[in-house]
Amino acid sequence: AREGPQIAPIDYNEFQKSFKKLFSQRPTGIVVGVSGGADSMALSLLIHEYCRAHSIPLLCVTIDHALRKESAEEAEVVGRWLKEYNIQHEIVRLEWQNDETSNMAASRDKRYDVLTKITA
């Protein structure tokens, strides 16, 4: 048997109620980091519906870590998928110095730092 919390799917109305609780006041815009994986794409679509219903600007951002030669094309694919849903998307390519790329924590911190400086 699987241990840990039991996860049950929620519908859009439940998501909307839960998501709204995150804000002490109405946001002026929302920025979402999206990798192109199933989780981040689903989250992007849910937040897009929320933003559309509440007239809140949304910007999805894919961080291209530039660690693999395929990463730029993968980021472009994410942008094409989101464009099908009329979701604004930007790609930010990270610049690396020395041996920063070998540290996953540094990569995550750099990604979060970039995302917190972007406005929708």
Side-chain angles (χ1 to χ4, degrees), residues 2-44:
R2 184 171 179 228
E3 292 185 29
Q6 297 300 313
I7 299 172
I10 63 170
D11 65 19
Y12 174 70
N13 290 329
E14 289 176 86
F15 170 81
Q16 181 172 274
K17 287 178 202 172
S18 296
F19 191 69
K20 192 172 186 175
K21 290 178 186 177
L22 295 174
F23 306 106
S24 58
Q25 58 185 338
R26 185 180 182 279
T28 57
I30 295 176
V31 175
V32 175
V34 57
S35 65
D39 294 342
S40 68
M41 291 299 291
L43 180 65
S44 297

Side-chain angles (χ1 to χ4, degrees), residues 34-114:
V34 57
S35 65
D39 294 342
S40 68
M41 291 299 291
L43 180 65
S44 297
L45 294 176
L46 285 167
I47 293 175
H48 170 65
E49 288 300 316
Y50 179 88
C51 288
R52 198 167 53 93
H54 294 88
S55 300
I56 298 170
L58 170 66
L59 174 63
C60 287
V61 178
T62 300
I63 305 294
D64 176 4
H65 289 85
L67 300 176
R68 297 176 296 107
K69 64 180 182 175
E70 308 85 21
S71 65
E73 176 58 29
E74 291 168 354
E76 292 289 336
V77 168
V78 172
R80 288 193 294 272
W81 288 343
L82 293 171
K83 186 176 181 179
E84 291 179 23
Y85 294 94
N86 296 313
I87 299 174
Q88 186 179 353
H89 177 254
E90 285 184 16
I91 299 169
V92 175
R93 186 177 174 100
L94 295 183
E95 300 292 328
W96 296 97
Q97 297 176 355
N98 304 327
D99 63 346
E100 287 181 310
T101 60
S102 64
N103 184 331
M104 289 185 69
S107 297
R108 182 186 58 246
D109 290 347
K110 193 167 192 168
R111 182 172 60 245
Y112 291 166
D113 184 54
V114 168

